[in-house]
Amino acid sequence: MSEPLSFGKSLIAGGIAGTVEICIMYPTDVAKTRQQLSKESLSMFETMRAVVRNEGAVNLYRGVTSPIFAEAPKRATKFATNEVYKNMLRREDGSLPWYRAGLAGALAGTTEAFVNCPFETIKVRMQSKEHLHRYRSTADCVSQLVRGEGITALFRGLEAQIWRNAAWNGTYFASIGSARVWLAGYMNSKSSSKAGAGASSDAPSRWTTLGISFVSGLVGGGLGTLLNTPLDVVKSRMQNQLPTASHAYHWTFPALLHIYRTEGARALYKGLGPRFLRLGPGGGIMIVVFDLVSQWLS
């Protein structure tokens, strides 16, 4: 069993992993938010095409400053606290069953929500089509939000974000461990079969190990996305609400019921396509970069 990373090294590895992922996948997040806030039913590609045609390609990265500033502390918090919670939840023999790994992930996601909620609120406001001419820049958005709505407005949607993060991270960290074990066993059985047939049986290559990490992250990210997309829809709508608007979204589960009754079950999964594209491959990218940086730091 590999030696657990120190808190500081987990912080560095998680921050770098998150920053790489956001730089690659951010346009899908813009498409996701636009879909979730819209009453129309446009596909991800139709949404992105409309952004490029009407606003310019640069707006696929509108508001990216907020998550770039957030990525290092939020991902670092998630990975670092996940290591702390895993160590707290390990059995006496050092093992960590999948359900304990999932609980550690859910606790890490909950902790992450408190760090990231202000950045998410700013990001959603910047990405929203209705606020295009309200905020000139991320700094202007922060200024207007705090002056016009108060400092607590930065934490709008925190309850929904806690549920969302706990669901995704719990599923993600429970799944990646199980997927890694299964994939490693599958690769070992193939290697043993070749060895039995006269071929050499070598230890898995570095690229094979990274491939297992990527697929494991892909599986974990995909399952987490399926589970928590309705919670993400509610979070986005809560954070986009202005004080002068009629607040339809106060608490998470009544808001879920309101959307279901007024828009139908499909509305709870708005933005699923871009979320799959981001958090599936994004989850793979993130865990591979985290592993690479962790190995380098070790």
Side-chain angles (χ1 to χ4, degrees), residues 181-281:
V181 169
W182 186 87
L183 287 166
Y186 175 74
M187 296 302 294
N188 285 338
S189 67
K190 284 187 66 176
S191 179
S192 298
S193 298
K194 288 181 179 179
S200 62
S201 178
D202 298 323
S205 69
R206 185 184 185 191
W207 290 109
T208 299
T209 303
L210 289 177
I212 288 173
S213 290
F214 180 81
V215 174
S216 301
L218 185 69
V219 170
L223 289 174
T225 300
L226 264 181
L227 183 64
N228 87 334
T229 290
L231 300 165
D232 191 60
V233 172
V234 169
K235 179 205 72 73
S236 294
R237 293 192 179 190
M238 283 181 174
Q239 291 174 333
N240 193 52
Q241 289 181 140
L242 293 172
T244 53
S246 171
H247 282 208
Y249 314 106
H250 294 282
W251 298 99
T252 302
F253 293 100
L256 287 169
L257 188 59
H258 173 78
I259 293 171
Y260 174 76
R261 286 175 172 171
T262 58
E263 300 176 50
R266 288 185 65 183
L268 293 171
Y269 278 89
K270 281 191 170 185
L272 180 62
R275 292 197 83 230
F276 255 136
L277 188 57
R278 181 183 178 191
L279 298 176

Side-chain angles (χ1 to χ4, degrees), residues 9-228:
K9 288 181 178 179
S10 295
L11 210 66
I12 295 168
I16 293 173
T19 302
V20 171
E21 186 271 339
I22 194 66
C23 289
I24 296 170
M25 306 303 293
Y26 188 75
T28 64
D29 194 70
V30 172
K32 177 267 295 186
T33 302
R34 292 289 182 95
Q35 285 182 305
Q36 290 178 340
L37 299 179
S38 174
K39 295 296 168 40
E40 298 179 72
S41 296
L42 297 176
S43 71
M44 178 183 70
F45 295 109
E46 288 172 332
T47 302
M48 294 176 79
R49 187 163 56 242
V51 171
V52 173
R53 183 176 61 246
N54 300 324
E55 305 164 33
V58 69
N59 267 22
L60 290 174
Y61 278 87
R62 178 174 165 83
V64 73
T65 308
S66 179
I68 282 178
F69 278 112
E71 277 304 304
K74 85 162 187 176
R75 300 290 192 194
T77 299
K78 172 163 68 178
F79 278 107
T81 58
N82 183 59
E83 290 296 320
V84 171
Y85 292 131
K86 282 198 304 184
N87 290 332
M88 289 170 57
L89 292 168
R90 288 185 192 278
R91 290 173 171 166
E92 290 185 5
D93 63 1
S95 64
L96 187 74
W98 67 268
Y99 57 89
R100 293 195 182 201
L103 177 58
L107 290 170
T110 299
T111 307
E112 177 198 9
F114 287 90
V115 174
N116 191 42
C117 189
F119 297 98
E120 277 286 307
T121 301
I122 294 161
K123 184 197 74 170
V124 168
R125 291 289 182 93
M126 288 295 293
Q127 291 176 337
S128 172
K129 186 177 180 179
E130 68 188 270
H131 297 317
L132 279 177
H133 303 295
R134 181 183 297 273
Y135 307 120
R136 296 188 305 274
S137 65
T138 299
D140 181 52
C141 180
V142 175
S143 176
Q144 287 197 47
L145 200 63
V146 173
R147 284 190 291 108
E149 302 175 42
I151 193 76
T152 56
L154 293 171
F155 288 90
R156 187 166 292 145
L158 176 61
E159 183 234 358
Q161 188 158 338
I162 288 172
W163 285 113
R164 182 200 74 157
N165 282 22
W168 194 88
N169 287 285
T171 305
Y172 179 74
F173 284 109
S175 301
I176 59 173
S178 301
R180 273 174 165 166
V181 169
W182 186 87
L183 287 166
Y186 175 74
M187 296 302 294
N188 285 338
S189 67
K190 284 187 66 176
S191 179
S192 298
S193 298
K194 288 181 179 179
S200 62
S201 178
D202 298 323
S205 69
R206 185 184 185 191
W207 290 109
T208 299
T209 303
L210 289 177
I212 288 173
S213 290
F214 180 81
V215 174
S216 301
L218 185 69
V219 170
L223 289 174
T225 300
L226 264 181
L227 183 64
N228 87 334

